[in-house]
Amino acid sequence: MEKLRNLRKQRGYTQEYMSKILSTDVSNYSRKESGDVKIFDDEWEKLAAALDVPVEEIKEERTANVVNFNDTSTNSGAFLNNYYNVPNQVMDNLQDYIKLLKEQVESLKQELETYKAGK
């Protein structure tokens, strides 16, 4: 949330000051400003009013890489949904690894076909 951070600093406001505007603690505000925690529309409005700018000037949507894990192993009938924010670098590495594994699978399939044809 670079726009928000930069404008806050230009105005000379601290994270503590901004956290009071949102009625939250400084650590939570810091996570919001860094993009680790979602800033809701009503919060964007409060922040924009405090910075004396339109919401559109500071609002940035951060797309999170979310992994949804449904744990049905308990057979309790209820689903346990855990959502995790995964850093882009980790996701990129995993995608590269998946691509490599797919290539290896194809290579092994071809090798198996060659082996079967030789029998």
Side-chain angles (χ1 to χ4, degrees):
M1 307 295 154
E2 287 301 310
K3 292 178 184 179
L4 174 59
R5 179 180 292 122
N6 290 337
L7 194 55
R8 173 184 62 79
K9 288 181 178 181
Q10 284 176 6
R11 298 282 197 269
Y13 297 153
T14 64
Q15 286 187 338
E16 182 177 11
Y17 173 77
M18 300 299 278
S19 70
K20 289 178 182 175
I21 291 167
L22 297 183
S23 301
T24 189
D25 57 48
V26 178
S27 65
N28 189 45
Y29 175 80
S30 177
R31 289 191 300 272
K32 287 178 180 285
E33 190 177 82
S34 68
D36 294 333
V37 174
K38 179 178 174 58
I39 300 175
F40 294 96
D41 288 339
D42 64 317
E43 294 174 323
W44 280 116
E45 291 172 16
K46 291 176 185 178
L47 294 169
L51 295 167
D52 196 29
V53 295
V55 172
E56 297 77 28
E57 191 171 318
I58 59 169
K59 186 174 181 179
E60 296 176 79
E61 293 295 329
R62 182 152 197 166
T63 55
N65 295 312
V66 176
V67 176
N68 183 8
F69 173 70
N70 291 320
D71 182 5
T72 57
S73 62
T74 61
N75 292 327
S76 65
F79 291 97
L80 173 63
N81 290 318
N82 294 322
Y83 295 91
Y84 302 96
N85 283 326
V86 181
N88 288 334
Q89 183 179 1
V90 173
M91 290 298 291
D92 291 343
N93 287 341
L94 289 173
Q95 292 296 332
D96 290 344
Y97 187 59
I98 290 169
K99 181 181 176 185
L100 175 68
L101 290 174
K102 285 180 178 179
E103 290 170 358
Q104 289 176 345
V105 166
E106 286 305 313
S107 175
L108 289 170
K109 283 181 181 178
Q110 289 175 358
E111 189 177 322
L112 181 60
E113 289 301 317
T114 303
Y115 175 77
K116 285 180 179 179
K119 276 191 157 181

